[in-house]
Amino acid sequence: MPLYFDNELKSPEQSSTSLVAWHKQLNIFAVAYKLTNGGTFYVYNKDGQIIASKSEVERKAEITSFSWHLERQLLAVGWSTGELFIWNNIEKVVNNVKSVHDKPITTLSWSGPKLASADKGGAFAIWKIDGLGRSQSDPIYKHNFEIAITSCISKSHGNTSHLSITNLAKAAVSGDQIALDLFADFNSGFNSRMKLPQKDGESFFLGTDDGKVFYVNDKGEKNECVSLECSIKQLLHSKDGKYLVAMSSDLQVVKCRVNDLDKLEEVERVKFSGQGSNAHIAWVGKTLLAAATSDHALRLWDLETGDNFSLPLHENLGFSPTERIITVDYMPTKGYIGASTNINKLAVWMSQPQMKGKSDPENCWKCLPAIDIKVCATQLQWNATTPIMAIASDTSAWILTEQQANFCISQTMVATQTGQQQVSIDFIGNKSTEEDLGFSGLSLSPEKDKPITTGQPSGGHCKITTHISYSGMDIASEHLAVWNKTTVEIYQLLSSTQSNYVGTFNCASMSSALHDNSFFSVDTEKEGQPKVLVRNFQGIVKQLLAIPEADGEPIMISTSADYMVVATNIGCIRVYDLSRRDAKPHSSNKNLTEFIENFGQINYLSCSPNGSKVAVLCNKDSGVPDTKLYVYDIETNKLQNFDFATGFSDDDDLACDSGPKTDIEQSKCDAAWEVSGRYPTSVHWDVCESRLLSCQAENLKNPPKTNAGQKRKKSDSDSVIEMKNKLTAKVIVVSLFSTPDHGLMLQDAFEKRHHQTDLIGVKIPYFYFNQSSSTDMKEVASGKQSQDVMSRKIMRDFVGLDSTDASAQNAMLNFSYHLTAGDMDEAFKAIKLIKGSRVWESMARMCVKSRRLDVAQVCLANMGHARGVRAVREAEKEPERNARVARLALELKMNDEAERLYIDCKRYDLLNHFYQATGQWKKALETSETRDRIHLRSTYYNYAKHLETIGDLSDAIVHYEKSGTHHFEVPRMLFDELDMLEAYVMKSKDRKFRKWWAQYMESTGDMDSALKFYKQAADPLSLVRVYSYCGQLDKASEVANETGDRAACFHLARQYEQNDDIKQAIHFFTRAMAYGNAIRICKEHGFEDQLMNLALLSSPNDMMEAARHYEERPDTIDKSVMLYHKAGHFSKAVELAFEYEQFGALELISNDLDENTDPILLARCAEFFAQNGQHDRAVSLLVAAKKYTEAITICSDNSVRLDEELVEKLTVPKDDPMSSKQRHQLLIHLGDCCMKQGEYHLACKKYTQASDRDKAMRALLKSGDTEKIIFFAGVSRQRNIYVMAANYLQSLDWRKEPEVMKNIISFYTKGKAFDSLASFYDACAQVEIDEYQNYEKAVGALTEAFKCLTKAKMPDKTKQENKITDLKSKIAIIKKFITTRRLFDTDPNEGVKQCLGLLQDSDLNASVRYGDVYGILIEYYAAQQNYERAYQYVQELRQRMPKIQMSFFINMRTIQDVHDAVGAPLDGPDNYAHEGLDGDDMQNGSDIDEEDSEVHEEIYQENTDPAQMVRASFAYR
């Protein structure tokens, strides 16, 4: 809870205050004073101490305006004489500015290094000021507006980025004078958050006395923007630069939008109401404006949304009804609004998160109690960084400092600071014995289990007024100590009515503590490093606790019972025992940096009452608060921790376990998730119990993701059903047990109430809180505001226990401890002797929180709560654990917990039932509408029943209608209120209500009214019934004919039948589709002409009756057959058709016969159709009769056309009882039929099903489907199939299809047909020679053929040997030719000799073509220009092969050159060139050959030539 203390500033004698101004970034401010013969100003620090009061700044004039530079310690001061100077607060010097003003300066405004000044005469100037406060001789811009300038502000440029010292240093080194000045200021230590000034010029907005607003910049631009009727009193510009606000003296405010070109666009004008013209406006948010208009309320206006509201001064907070707000200011860093009133009071509003369910903006501001100040403030201003306010009045200046209230707790008392010199004391009990403390912390064994002596609470309350303003305090035993920076006071508190002032002494300490008759302090005034001093109550030092230099300097101490812990600045802690005369070390020094990663500094310290453990909160080395609570166990030398970010301790494996969990593990995860996403701010041990400690924890800005449990997010539709399983308050209180085996274990967590500001401490069974004297507005308005400064909350586990029963409290504590640790045996031992039912009820409530249903059943049994035990057992059928726990919570009347559990497990059906049972109908309806729609109508119905019981009939009707039960429930409910019922019926347009009312009228005998309402209800049956009853059959007939209602027609037909009007009866029976009755009447009365038509329209049974009627007469047999057929009695219809030779009908009947028909009947029909040449129909019937052999025989003998559908029907199913052999024979027979008709694919399929793959392949070969042939050969995996497929593929153009050639080789290889493969390779070799003249590849193919032939197993071995011999000879000749061709590169003569030798071989042409040999010779001699010899070989080749195409072997250019050389003509061009070449082509024949050769080679390689396929096959095999 914040407290505010005011201090008057030292000022010049006989002076009055005129102005006050804080620096925007530093903790200094200036105050201007009026003297009897002039004026001056003082500069103060945040403590109100004077840091500048030079005589040089005193003038024989008054200060009319002054303004701090935004970053530097430069203060611009304007005087009533027009003088202007800059005060350098670092150098403590005055820098005069050559002023252009001769009138009082009214306003000063800084913008970067530029200063704008204006006076009452209208003179305006812009000055450039350097980093030392020196100005140029002349202003960079000046202008005279000839009217007084009342206000001037600089134009905001939005958010500017902060500079690092590195970038600033670089700019200074590069020669930037401004950066150099800023860097010098930075080194002086006053400015750590500097910004670079704007480089694109500075601009200002001016307000004048005639109500005009101007825009001016340092480049000389001047524009009039806005005009008001009265003088401009104040100008404000939003930080983001979007809005400019101007207020005139008549309280008219205009809002303008500033565009990118610095043009103003007027948006809105408003007129504030007030009781005076002395108004003041200030920004209290990004776009939120506050106005103090001498009214009882502070007015706020949101410029962005246009919303406006007011914050009144409440009488219950100490304000007077006649009080008026005269000035206002805002502190953005804390969100404080400060406003002064006309009767020396100050109002402070604190911004707070918007409360759930409240959308009003005024609910975002919480007003503190009125703060009395000793003067009437004319001006006030907040410090920008710390909550300190400077106040100026007509007579003096003050500062108002915010201080958080001090508080402390001991075993006997709770002390709370209520004012600057006030202490509130509450007595809570007697001091525990040393034996109690030792037991509670050191031994947990059941043998030593004895009650903790908490003492009888003495009660009582007293208030102490101190002699000093204090900033710290502590209590111990029966003493109270308060202190400030220099003085300590001691008081003795004997009871609530008796207290003594012990004494005072001087002490300057950074941390202090009290114990019995000793005062401990970390002294800062002694020589050397700070020391821990022990003083008596007279201030005499009786002991010095030396801290080794290696352990750092002591910064913090804390006492608890008879122990004290000391912490140093480097993280060392040591515990001292204070139970003896002198403090003795209880433990060795421990450096926490050994345990804590990225340790920064300790910021909170607490020792357990038995001195065995120390709780520590610290910061990271980055300055960010650590999210972990650390507890150092002195006895085990271990550091336990609990991470509030995740909700788990480091010893808990559940933090990283995302797998399935037991109920106990899941309950721990749920509890961890409730407190996760926070960091601890304070920690307190129980003053008597060393196992229990509690923490305050606040929300993290960016909480980490945890595995504590997957929880749903709140959706937009969740309004009543809120997420209650997550603690959502900003601050929560968490209690934990420190266990030796399991570390820190979470025991409980709850949200602080809005009036509880801080946790003071813990003493079983209560939490003690510092309570704010200001509550919410509802309590303020109702006058129920609490005046207590301390409140307490009983611990969850001790609810219902007698606070004076120490043994019960001790047993409950041990039970809770062991239950949290999961030790159920020890938990039950702890409470085995407790007999009170309230204790067992309290433990059962604990089980709801811990989700321990097994323990809960034991507790309920000991309570004698039989119904609860039964309910828990019945709830075991629920699959969700939380649903079972919620049922337990309901039995214990923990409705809020049950509601939260139902929401958590998403059992909205049970939640809906819970809301209904507890009378929360609004929540029940919303739950059913949004989450439980399956029970929506039942919820409406139950709510309607509830409304009916309380007499709210109108709303009950509405909800009966929503439930869909209003047709019955509303007449029942209103039956005793006939007038109301009739009005409801008349108002309703529902036909069911009209019908109900008509029935009621009919029951009363009012037939006319009944007919009227039956007509309105559109109920033809009732109309016909009433008309018939009244004897008006003609009107009944008219209604029946018009509506065609079947029930009405049937009723009327019965009436006509009773009256023997047979034709009308038949007519209306037909209209009613009661054909059986119509047929009955026709048969009885001989209406044969209508009987057949009615029979065809009727049901099968009626058709059978009519058919039997017609069967009795020979002349109507055809009708009988038709009706039997229509009725589905095919056997009877066929029998009659054969008997009476109704063959036309038989054909119609056969279309409806299927496999469900009698096989004998099907066979008989099939025989009939076969005899009459309708073989396809006969086949279909035989298939339906499953006579496949006969059907296939008919197909084969009569060439019935087979398609895929018919073939499938003719295929015997595998599950048919026919033998497998017979089935295969039928399939082969069917395949033969398909072969005859050319259906090769179907034949292949049937042969395959018959397992005759040879026939199947032959069928495919006939089809010519290459793709299927290849596929079938691949899946068959039979040698003969492979060979057949390969033989077929050889018949294709395999030379152009590499894939086909690959399959040929593969199939021959798999089929072991090496002789065939050898023949194929031989063919490949011949292709290489004939098509491409590639003898090298041909040799490779022949070699493969030779290998295959040697592997072959031909029946004629002689023939095989001859083939091998021929292949050897052929290979030898080709190799000799290849060798000869290569000799021309090395030994041409030998090459010629070898060629001539080859030409002498008579078998040459079988292996090597003559043209290739002659071509080599001709090309060689032509190249040697021996054209005669070349021509000789040309003639020789022509004689040997007269029809040869020489161009295939010899280049055409070579042939032409040879003939030209010998003078022989090129006759017979066809013998030289390819067909299709003309004369031009002949001239370029050589080029064409070369090009064609290249093209052929490219295509050959792209398509993978046969020889390549041969080589590829080598690797494949």
Side-chain angles (χ1 to χ4, degrees), residues 526 668 684 767 850 865 1244 1284 1409:
K526 301 296 180 183
K668 290 182 180 180
H684 307 270
F767 295 100
S850 60
H865 200 321
C1244 174
M1284 292 168 65
R1409 297 178 301 182

Side-chain angles (χ1 to χ4, degrees), residues 10 532 870 932 957:
K10 291 183 179 180
V532 180
R870 177 183 177 184
D932 187 32
I957 291 173

Side-chain angles (χ1 to χ4, degrees), residues 23-52:
H23 195 284
K24 298 297 184 184
Q25 297 184 8
L26 307 177
N27 291 323
I28 58 175
F29 66 99
V31 180
Y33 293 102
K34 294 180 183 179
L35 306 177
T36 55
N37 58 352
T40 187
F41 68 88
Y42 284 2
V43 179
Y44 302 87
N45 62 15
K46 66 176 182 178
D47 297 324
Q49 298 175 350
I50 299 174
I51 60 175

Side-chain angles (χ1 to χ4, degrees), residues 68 100 205 396 445 709 723 835 946 997 1037 1101 1202 1208 1264 1486:
W68 283 102
V100 296
F205 292 104
S396 59
S445 60
M723 289 300 298
K835 302 299 183 182
H946 166 73
W997 189 254
S1037 176
N1101 290 333
L1202 298 175
E1208 290 302 321
S1486 176

Side-chain angles (χ1 to χ4, degrees), residues 238-251:
S238 60
K239 288 187 177 181
D240 58 5
K242 292 174 60 178
Y243 295 105
L244 177 74
V245 177
M247 183 180 71
S248 63
S249 58
D250 63 345
L251 304 187

Side-chain angles (χ1 to χ4, degrees), residues 395-462:
T395 58
S396 59
W398 298 69
I399 61 169
L400 189 74
T401 305
E402 179 188 88
Q403 176 182 309
Q404 293 298 320
N406 290 285
F407 46 79
C408 52
I409 186 173
S410 70
Q411 298 174 20
T412 58
M413 294 178 289
V414 175
T416 308
Q417 183 179 13
T418 59
Q420 195 168 0
Q421 294 177 253
Q422 286 78 39
V423 183
S424 175
I425 306 294
D426 290 277
F427 293 88
I428 60 173
N430 297 325
K431 186 176 180 180
S432 300
T433 67
E434 183 177 352
E435 182 183 357
D436 297 333
L437 295 175
F439 159 72
S440 66
L442 300 177
S443 177
L444 302 175
S445 60
E447 300 85 87
K448 299 180 181 179
D449 193 7
K450 58 179 285 188
I452 298 175
T453 303
T454 59
Q456 299 295 328
S458 60
H461 173 80
C462 70

Side-chain angles (χ1 to χ4, degrees), residues 1130 1150-1158 1162 1181 1184-1185:
F1130 298 120
S1150 65
N1151 293 329
D1152 296 330
L1153 299 178
D1154 54 20
E1155 61 274 6
N1156 297 322
T1157 310
D1158 184 8
L1162 290 172
L1181 293 173

Side-chain angles (χ1 to χ4, degrees), residues 787-799:
Q787 298 300 323
D788 295 332
V789 295
M790 187 272 290
S791 64
R792 66 184 187 179
K793 174 183 173 64
I794 192 167
M795 296 181 180
R796 179 198 67 191
D797 300 347
F798 296 88
V799 174

